[in-house]
Amino acid sequence: MPRLADAREFVDDLAAFVTASPSSYHAVRESARRLREAGFSELREEDDWQVEPGARVFVVRDGSIIAAAVPTGADPTTPLTIFGAHTDSPSLKLKPKPSTSAAGFSQVGVEVYGGALLNSFLDRDLALAGRIVLAGGTVRLVRTGAYLRVPQLAIHLDRQVNSEGLKLDPQRHLQPITGLATDEHDVLADLAALAEDPVTGEAAPVDPADIAGYDIVTADTQAPAVIGAREELFASGRLDNLLSTHAGVRAMIDAEPADHIAVFVSNDHEEVGSATRSGAAGPFLEDVLVRLHLALGGDEASRRRAFADSLLVSSDVGHSVHPNYAERHDPANLPVAGGGPILKLNANQRYATDGRGAAAWAAACASAGVTSQEFVSNNAMPCGSTIGPITATRLGFLTVDVGVPILSMHSLREMTAVTDPHDLFLAAKSLLTETAIRSAR
């Protein structure tokens, strides 16, 4: 039973990570805090970098973070092993001129961010969280308590809802209520009063007139919880993809690479296509890796040699078989929550896994003593995608897509098995540490 106890302790830490991370910016701050406490030093992109073998460093760009552990014997041809995730989740995002009112209620103008299950946002106590940017570029993080609610129309006023299904117009039906209409209603003023230092988290309120921009999303305020008759399940908001981000941070802290540079990256904006300066389709990862390589004395030729021998494991949540909708899954491949991490495959390369990548992942799981499952979509139901194919296309790394099976993906509250996040961490730790995994290639 020691492993089950370890899994429960791990998922309790995941709950703390999720609670500290209501937005991608908060997830980066919490990741950076943990890395600092573990001895990693922050590099700023605008500074000159002095990175030597043995260095443990991290870099932040907006809502994305990269960490690297350089072995003491590293040279310009040392390859990279990368564990990748993303920090953002589907949500409702604050619009310009956000303070509105209608029919005696104060409301907040929002638009849908990502492929959210819209009905899951109804009748939930929501917070606002993210960053505000002041004139001159100073950044403050903000988070409220239970500030918003999107009330569903009562069944007495929608008698056909159970027979014909719920139909939501995102513009008309998803505008949250934040109170009774008053002249004092000002969302930005409320956020300004709650501003925090982006590094320490200490209160640092600002004048709302100084707010020049903001990136604010909604987040569920219900705490993560271990649930079920035998406490085998874990329910939480933002498991997609704070689960993988947390596993990557923990694995990075524990990794002790010898023959490769261990790297962790968690990009923002995966849920909306990744095509941003801090997304996987942007230059952030390449910028950091090139600068690290140059700091180790490399040139263009040695960088290309190192990249050609490098491996990226893209970790995002995947679909557990749903007991009420088993026909929606491939009949021969039915990954179940509690059965271990999943290897994602797709003939059209919506996932980047190929035979070589699958072998490397199998070696990582074997080294960690973890059982892995395969996920492939039902042919009639095309799958989504991840940062894997995007990063592989941009940088040319051998790439494999993996994850943890969950239920209710893209709901405001998702669910997985207690044991699976810990198993993903164990595989990630082996991946970032073990020499044998590279020999599998």
Side-chain angles (χ1 to χ4, degrees), residues 69 81 128 180 189 226 348 435:
T81 303
L128 290 175
L180 302 178
V226 173
N348 295 307
T435 300

Side-chain angles (χ1 to χ4, degrees), residues 306-319:
F307 277 25
D309 195 30
S310 294
L311 171 68
L312 168 71
V313 172
S314 162
S315 178
D316 205 342
V317 293
H319 300 294

Side-chain angles (χ1 to χ4, degrees), residues 25 34 46 53 74 111 178 189-190 197 213 227 235-236 307 328 345 349 359 363 374 412-413:
Y25 308 102
R34 290 171 177 238
E46 56 268 39
E111 60 180 321
T178 190
D190 291 343
D197 183 276
I227 65 171
S236 173
F307 277 25
R328 305 292 180 97
L345 302 108
Q349 290 292 287
E374 288 80 29
L412 194 67
R413 194 167 179 84

Side-chain angles (χ1 to χ4, degrees), residues 249-270:
V249 171
R250 288 282 302 262
M252 194 70 213
I253 288 171
D254 287 357
E256 297 179 356
D259 69 336
H260 62 270
I261 299 171
V263 177
F264 164 68
V265 57
S266 197
N267 289 110
D268 202 353
H269 304 132
E270 190 273 348

Side-chain angles (χ1 to χ4, degrees), residues 117-142:
L117 275 172
L118 299 182
N119 63 294
S120 70
F121 285 78
L122 301 177
D123 299 329
R124 303 303 298 260
D125 300 331
L126 304 175
L128 290 175
R131 68 176 179 181
I132 55 177
V133 184
L134 310 182
T138 299
V139 174
R140 293 285 185 267
L141 298 194
V142 296

Side-chain angles (χ1 to χ4, degrees), residues 254-304:
D254 287 357
E256 297 179 356
D259 69 336
H260 62 270
I261 299 171
V263 177
F264 164 68
V265 57
S266 197
N267 289 110
D268 202 353
H269 304 132
E270 190 273 348
E271 299 293 356
V272 292
S274 297
T276 66
R277 69 186 296 267
S278 55
F284 183 38
L285 181 59
E286 183 176 14
D287 287 350
V288 169
L289 297 184
V290 168
R291 292 187 66 180
L292 287 175
H293 186 80
L294 292 173
L296 291 172
D299 57 22
E300 183 66 14
S302 61
R303 180 182 71 81
R304 291 184 181 277

Side-chain angles (χ1 to χ4, degrees), residues 95-271:
K95 283 185 173 183
K97 300 182 179 66
S99 300
T100 65
S101 61
F105 289 95
S106 296
Q107 293 185 277
V108 172
V110 296
E111 60 180 321
V112 178
Y113 176 92
L117 275 172
L118 299 182
N119 63 294
S120 70
F121 285 78
L122 301 177
D123 299 329
R124 303 303 298 260
D125 300 331
L126 304 175
L128 290 175
R131 68 176 179 181
I132 55 177
V133 184
L134 310 182
T138 299
V139 174
R140 293 285 185 267
L141 298 194
V142 296
R143 68 182 300 172
T144 70
Y147 189 89
L148 308 166
R149 191 176 179 91
V150 184
Q152 185 169 348
L153 187 63
I155 194 168
H156 312 79
L157 305 177
D158 189 6
R159 294 287 186 180
Q160 289 76 43
V161 66
N162 289 329
S163 58
E164 298 181 5
L166 179 66
K167 298 178 177 63
L168 294 173
D169 180 323
Q171 179 62 41
R172 291 188 298 137
H173 301 148
L174 288 181
Q175 304 311 304
I177 288 172
T178 190
L180 302 178
T182 66
D183 293 337
E184 291 79 27
H185 172 52
D186 186 339
V187 176
L188 296 185
D190 291 343
L191 295 177
L194 296 170
E196 304 169 348
D197 183 276
V199 175
T200 67
E202 296 178 356
V206 299
D207 185 338
D210 291 338
I211 297 176
Y214 51 84
D215 300 285
I216 305 293
V217 296
T218 58
D220 188 16
T221 59
Q222 185 177 356
V226 173
I227 65 171
R230 294 171 181 80
E231 297 188 335
E232 297 169 307
L233 303 172
F234 179 67
S236 173
R238 304 183 297 286
L239 291 180
D240 183 4
N241 191 27
L242 293 184
L243 189 158
S244 295
T245 298
H246 172 259
V249 171
R250 288 282 302 262
M252 194 70 213
I253 288 171
D254 287 357
E256 297 179 356
D259 69 336
H260 62 270
I261 299 171
V263 177
F264 164 68
V265 57
S266 197
N267 289 110
D268 202 353
H269 304 132
E270 190 273 348
E271 299 293 356

Side-chain angles (χ1 to χ4, degrees), residues 381-406:
M381 297 191 175
C383 67
S385 192
T386 71
I387 67 167
I390 295 170
T391 308
T393 300
R394 183 172 180 91
L395 296 178
F397 296 137
L398 173 63
T399 302
V400 55
D401 270 295
V402 305
V404 163
I406 73 168

